[in-house]
Amino acid sequence: GFGLYCGSTFFGILFRGHLYFKTSDETRQKYLEWGSEPFQPNAKQTLKAYYEVPADCIDDAARLSALANEAIDVAAVPEG
């Protein structure tokens, strides 16, 4: 897989042809409504902060850009 960065901010993952963006409690809801799944690189590991971007969003440059910017904003907030 590949990590996606904006500067030093890690906001997304490209893994086996699927795109995942970092989410927060607030932004995750829309991914759940879309039926997106969290990033699961193997059977024993699930990263519940990263959710798959739906294909119809990937095909729409404006929507994809908005989601990427949202993920960058989420990732830029220090955890804790």
Side-chain angles (χ1 to χ4, degrees):
F2 299 92
L4 302 177
Y5 291 83
C6 180
S8 63
T9 303
F10 177 63
F11 72 95
I13 301 166
L14 184 59
F15 186 75
R16 296 184 180 165
H18 298 270
L19 177 61
Y20 301 84
F21 281 161
K22 182 148 189 185
T23 64
S24 66
D25 290 342
E26 293 79 30
T27 65
R28 188 173 306 117
Q29 187 59 41
K30 74 176 128 223
Y31 289 84
L32 294 171
E33 290 171 6
W34 292 331
S36 296
E37 297 289 329
F39 176 56
Q40 187 173 16
N42 59 58
K44 293 185 178 187
Q45 183 181 23
T46 300
L47 301 180
K48 293 185 179 182
Y50 291 85
Y51 272 76
E52 186 172 3
V53 178
D56 62 330
C57 292
I58 294 171
D59 293 337
D60 182 333
R63 285 179 74 193
L64 181 60
S65 179
L67 289 174
N69 285 321
E70 181 179 76
I72 292 164
D73 290 345
V74 167
V77 175
E79 293 183 29

